[in-house]
Amino acid sequence: YFADRWCALKPKELMNWDVCSVGRVVDELDEWRRQVEDLEQRTEILSRHFTDFDMLKAPCFDGLADIVSDVVRTAEAWTMLKEYKTALLEMSKKDWISFRGNVFALQDLAATWANNLQAHTKDDRGAPAGTQSTNTKAGEDFEGCDG
């Protein structure tokens, strides 16, 4: 039931990408995180009860780890977007006269967030997420793709 609700209600596309809209999504995702943490705790208690009462086979919660991981990854991504939008909004509040002496701050912001995104999308090997190996040729990665 939880997984079905998550898949149906998971944030996807917004009509308005302003800081307030993104903030509402982040708040909703915080609630999803609380719910998934509660679900994890209940499954641990249930499994412990099976062990405590010497029942033959503890229940198996297939897919729970995948759902937890998806909720956490999604929340982290939206939180990161909110932080970026907030930083950009703060910079945009400055008038041109005061900002023109600090135009490099915009480049610094872009470089900082490019590094943040790069760090966020690395997998356990330190390679960009979704890459097979550092030895593959780019053409092989797109083999069989149409378009």
Side-chain angles (χ1 to χ4, degrees):
Y1 176 71
F2 183 87
D4 292 337
R5 276 188 32 235
W6 169 247
C7 290
L9 300 174
K10 179 179 176 178
K12 292 173 178 63
E13 185 77 25
L14 293 177
M15 296 299 288
N16 186 357
W17 288 89
D18 66 345
V19 175
C20 292
S21 299
V22 172
R24 278 192 296 276
V25 171
V26 169
D27 292 342
E28 291 171 10
L29 286 167
D30 286 342
E31 178 59 30
W32 278 103
R33 273 187 171 182
R34 283 189 286 280
Q35 290 178 20
V36 80
E37 287 170 3
D38 180 54
L39 186 60
E40 278 184 304
Q41 290 173 354
R42 288 189 294 162
T43 58
E44 289 172 12
I45 290 169
L46 187 59
S47 294
R48 203 171 333 115
H49 285 183
F50 265 75
T51 304
D52 291 345
F53 291 109
D54 294 325
M55 298 185 89
L56 295 176
K57 186 177 178 186
C60 181
F61 300 101
D62 291 334
L64 179 62
D66 293 336
I67 294 296
V68 169
S69 174
D70 191 32
V71 169
V72 168
R73 277 193 326 261
T74 302
E76 287 173 352
W78 281 90
T79 300
M80 190 177 213
L81 177 62
K82 180 184 175 188
E83 291 169 358
Y84 168 73
K85 293 291 234 174
T86 302
L88 192 60
L89 179 66
E90 288 301 313
M91 190 173 286
S92 70
K93 287 180 181 177
K94 296 179 182 174
D95 62 280
W96 173 247
I97 301 297
S98 60
F99 182 74
R100 70 180 178 183
N102 274 340
V103 174
F104 63 88
L106 185 60
Q107 184 178 3
D108 292 345
L109 178 73
T112 298
W113 282 99
N115 290 337
N116 287 349
L117 283 173
Q118 205 169 33
H120 185 73
T121 57
K122 299 233 185 236
D123 64 10
D124 294 334
R125 300 170 301 169
T131 59
Q132 296 290 328
S133 166
T134 56
N135 295 331
T136 61
K137 291 186 255 173
E140 293 172 356
D141 292 339
F142 297 105
E143 190 174 303
C145 293
D146 293 333

